[in-house]
Amino acid sequence: MSRSMLASIGLLCLSACGGGYTYVPPAPLLADEGTFVETELGPVIGGREENGAKAWLGLPYAAPPIGKRRWRAPMRAMAWTTPRHTLNHPAWCPQMTNGLDGLFGLESGEIRGDEDCLYLDIYAPSGATIESELPVMVWVHGGSNVWGRAEQYDGSRLAEQEDVIVIVIQYRLGPLGWFSHPSLRAEGQPANFALLDIIAALGWVNENIAAFGGDPDKVSLFGESAGAHNILALLAMPEADGLYRAAIAQSGLPLSLPREASEEGDGARILGAISAAEAFTGRSDASPDQLRSVPFGQIVGAYADRQPATVIQDGLTLPDLPLDEAIAAHQAGHDIPIILGSNRDEAKYLLAFDTSFTKLAFGIFPQSKDKDHYNSVDNAMSSMWRLVGVDRFARTLAASNTGPVYTYRFDWDEQGKVGLSDMSDLIGAAHSLEIPFVFGRFNSFMGRLDERMFNKSNQPGRTVLSDAMMSYWGAIARSGAPDKGEEIQRPVWQPVDEGGSPTLIFDTEDGGGIRLAEEPLVLESLLRQIEMDEALTQDNRRCRVAQQIEQFFGRASSGQLCPAGVYDRVTSTSDDRDWRE
């Protein structure tokens, strides 16, 4: 989920939901002696969630990456002998608060967290024992790779309902997790420290999960947005081989940045590591020791207005190839099941409170200025997202014989109205809204906005849809195929081939139900559709869509939608919104 979306939703909350919400950290669990487990590093005792599921919160999977260990590969955590009580979520990795934090009562723009943050949470069914050998699902959270933490995701209901072990991991964020600087490169360091953290967590799972009732040979990865992006990167990394057997990428994109670009930046959206180092040390050529001696708040603060480069083609952890090509090459013949999906209205998380698209009725309630224009831009951006992240990529994987690839689209948009704001129109099936359906939990997702988005009127339909999505996700964890092990008759989810195949649509019965649908997308036809859209004919609207597509996917993606002269004028007045977040 991007910072733009978070700020947008925060504005909606402030304008339509009222104030008075105070952040309260999650309460610690009560210790339960029945959760005693002996790990490779030492004994632990956890607790139980409200539904009876077992939980162990804040287990260290690596040593703190602090001091001389900053910007190095993670190291093994220190062992202990006295039983460790794992009853609290771990400290956040360093990050800057944003609009979504405001929904939970936190001020935006604050730097929070602790570099000692390489921990994970484990949720197991209430009856799990060391003999259970349950499938394992490892969640990699999103947040533009600059934001997010384990406490946002409660895996207890998914674990209990699907009889799986659910693990939520934390990893280094922002410039602490992704940093390509010449002095570190001269030292032999990689650039994708966060990816190495995730691999270290998977290594810990491989060594320890049997003691919690899990099967180390049945580990599936699932994640959303930046988390899905990172999972896709793991598919190109030999170091991760053997640590998972299936991958689910929710709204991910197979994109990466050349190392040179990550060091130099792009002058607008991405702050290069060389300029960042000068900002927080006073020297663009700072030594590794100088870089490692800076307080983390200064490092995170240097990126307040721009994004650090993430998923970098560093030649060490990832090859110097575009990520989609690297994945296809590495996974050829590996027979790894992969699910790729997107949400129908991905881009509405960017458009909802862009003042060129929306207005405030009575100064309070956000509404679209021109509904046709609003939905046309969303369709153009969301379709391009789907083309790059799902349809075209799935066909590439199928042609490379990587294993079965399944695709889906999430269409739920039954939020209804908040005052005079039509949430179904403004937000719809936007980026990240599938997450509560996958986890089966609709509270603590958007703070004070939860009861408005997920209300009594839409509860019956979304509960059925959530149960179905958990069932499909659980099936791939159990068997490697989402069409197996079903007790309820649902559409059989078939893998794609080189020519494509129907995608599975997730929606309630009121929205058409869970169904298979043909959705062939190719760049030429999509650009033609945008070109012919009457809602984009005036005021350089088509050129602005072209600009947004190019910021997201590169100049070649927009074809000839906009004459060069007009494009240049539009670009020169752009607010340089980061459409890739």
Side-chain angles (χ1 to χ4, degrees), residues 116-193:
D116 180 7
C117 65
L118 300 187
Y119 297 83
L120 52 80
D121 294 345
I122 297 179
Y123 301 88
S126 54
T129 69
I130 196 172
E131 290 86 20
S132 295
E133 297 184 337
L134 299 173
V136 181
M137 302 180 68
V138 178
W139 174 255
V140 184
H141 71 76
S144 297
N145 275 326
V146 299
W147 179 87
R149 50 269 186 185
E151 72 176 50
Q152 297 168 299
Y153 306 97
D154 183 339
S156 61
R157 185 158 189 265
L158 178 59
E160 192 72 16
Q161 179 158 318
E162 293 303 313
D163 205 28
V164 297
I165 307 289
V166 177
I167 300 175
V168 179
I169 66 173
Q170 294 193 159
Y171 54 93
R172 280 175 279 185
L173 299 171
L176 295 172
W178 319 86
F179 197 68
S180 178
H181 191 276
S183 67
L184 296 178
R185 177 155 43 91
E187 195 182 54
Q189 297 299 330
N192 299 302
F193 302 99

Side-chain angles (χ1 to χ4, degrees), residues 394-407:
R395 291 193 296 270
T396 296
L397 295 178
S400 300
N401 192 32
T402 62
V405 183
Y406 307 86
T407 68

Side-chain angles (χ1 to χ4, degrees), residues 175-423:
L176 295 172
W178 319 86
F179 197 68
S180 178
H181 191 276
S183 67
L184 296 178
R185 177 155 43 91
E187 195 182 54
Q189 297 299 330
N192 299 302
F193 302 99
L195 296 181
L196 296 179
D197 292 344
I198 297 170
I199 291 174
L202 293 175
W204 186 96
V205 170
N206 184 264
E207 288 185 359
N208 292 280
I209 202 59
F212 294 85
D215 184 342
D217 294 324
K218 292 184 177 180
V219 175
S220 298
L221 309 177
F222 70 132
E224 182 269 343
S225 192
H229 191 180
N230 298 338
I231 288 172
L232 294 178
L234 295 186
L235 298 179
M237 297 178 65
E239 296 90 338
D241 290 352
L243 297 177
Y244 61 92
R245 70 167 193 168
I248 303 172
Q250 301 168 207
S251 300
L253 290 167
L255 303 176
S256 55
L257 197 67
R259 184 156 198 165
E260 295 77 12
S262 71
E263 293 182 354
E264 299 292 337
D266 65 1
R269 295 170 290 109
I270 296 175
L271 180 63
I274 294 174
S275 296
E278 185 171 12
F280 54 72
T281 68
R283 297 177 59 96
S284 61
D285 61 346
S287 70
D289 286 343
Q290 289 171 322
L291 292 171
R292 292 186 174 111
S293 66
V294 177
F296 76 77
Q298 290 179 223
I299 297 171
V300 177
Y303 291 84
D305 298 322
R306 283 188 279 176
Q307 182 91 352
T310 65
V311 185
I312 301 164
Q313 300 165 24
D314 62 0
L316 296 173
T317 56
L318 288 173
D320 190 15
L321 289 171
L323 187 57
D324 56 347
E325 295 180 20
I327 295 167
H330 182 65
Q331 287 298 325
H334 279 200
D335 199 30
I336 296 292
I338 298 172
I339 291 180
L340 304 173
S342 67
N343 294 358
R344 188 195 63 211
D345 301 318
E346 294 281 2
K348 284 190 174 179
Y349 81 107
L350 291 164
L351 306 178
F353 292 87
D354 182 330
T355 55
S356 63
F357 293 101
T358 61
K359 61 184 179 182
L360 291 178
F362 299 103
I364 298 176
F365 300 103
Q367 297 177 343
S368 57
K369 289 180 177 178
D370 180 333
K371 188 171 183 177
D372 289 340
H373 178 218
Y374 185 80
N375 287 319
S376 288
V377 175
D378 168 57
N379 179 66
M381 292 296 297
S382 298
S383 295
M384 186 63 71
W385 188 314
R386 181 161 187 89
L387 173 66
V388 173
V390 181
D391 288 8
R392 187 168 66 185
F393 184 43
R395 291 193 296 270
T396 296
L397 295 178
S400 300
N401 192 32
T402 62
V405 183
Y406 307 86
T407 68
Y408 76 85
R409 195 184 74 208
F410 177 79
D411 279 14
W412 185 84
D413 62 353
E414 298 170 14
Q415 301 95 327
K417 292 186 175 182
V418 177
L420 297 179
S421 295
D422 186 343
M423 298 289 287

Side-chain angles (χ1 to χ4, degrees), residues 64-139:
I66 58 177
K68 293 185 180 297
R69 290 194 292 267
R70 179 191 286 170
W71 289 315
R72 296 184 188 275
M75 298 178 64
R76 188 176 179 85
M78 295 290 291
W80 62 89
T81 56
T82 303
R84 183 180 186 129
H85 283 68
T86 53
L87 307 173
N88 288 284
H89 295 287
W92 308 356
C93 287
Q95 58 196 266
M96 187 171 292
T97 57
N98 52 41
L100 187 53
D101 294 309
L103 296 176
F104 292 86
L106 290 168
E107 290 291 327
S108 181
E110 294 181 351
I111 296 174
R112 287 181 170 248
D114 193 313
E115 282 190 87
D116 180 7
C117 65
L118 300 187
Y119 297 83
L120 52 80
D121 294 345
I122 297 179
Y123 301 88
S126 54
T129 69
I130 196 172
E131 290 86 20
S132 295
E133 297 184 337
L134 299 173
V136 181
M137 302 180 68
V138 178
W139 174 255

